[in-house]
Amino acid sequence: MVQERWQGRGAYGDELAIVYCCSRINLGLVSESGGGTSQGDETTARTWQIPAAGAFMIHERTPSF
C-alpha cells in the first residue's frame, strides 16, 4: 500500500528535504503574532530549507530591508 501523504510524525534533516522535493508546492507561512515581537516573524527556517532542497515554495510577501 502506498501512503498518499506525510503523517504521523515529524521529518528532520535529509528526510525533510525528501518531503519538500516530493511535494509540488511547499508553503512558507510566517506567523503574524510572534511572542515577544512587535511585528511577528518575517522569515522561518523553511525560508531557506525549501529552496536549498531544490523544491518549489510559495512564501508570503514580507518587507525588504
Side-chain angles (χ1 to χ4, degrees):
M1 182 174 158
V2 176
Q3 197 168 3
E4 294 183 16
R5 62 187 120 344
W6 189 262
Q7 59 185 4
R9 62 183 178 80
Y12 303 95
D14 291 342
E15 192 174 54
L16 184 56
I18 292 168
V19 171
Y20 288 148
C21 289
C22 288
S23 301
R24 287 186 174 178
I25 299 173
N26 295 277
L27 300 177
L29 303 175
V30 293
S31 173
E32 290 190 21
S33 59
T37 64
S38 60
Q39 287 185 306
D41 296 335
E42 293 180 357
T43 62
T44 67
R46 290 180 306 275
T47 304
W48 292 278
Q49 291 171 339
I50 296 169
F56 180 79
M57 174 180 69
I58 293 179
H59 194 287
E60 295 181 67
R61 185 178 193 95
T62 57
S64 58
F65 296 95

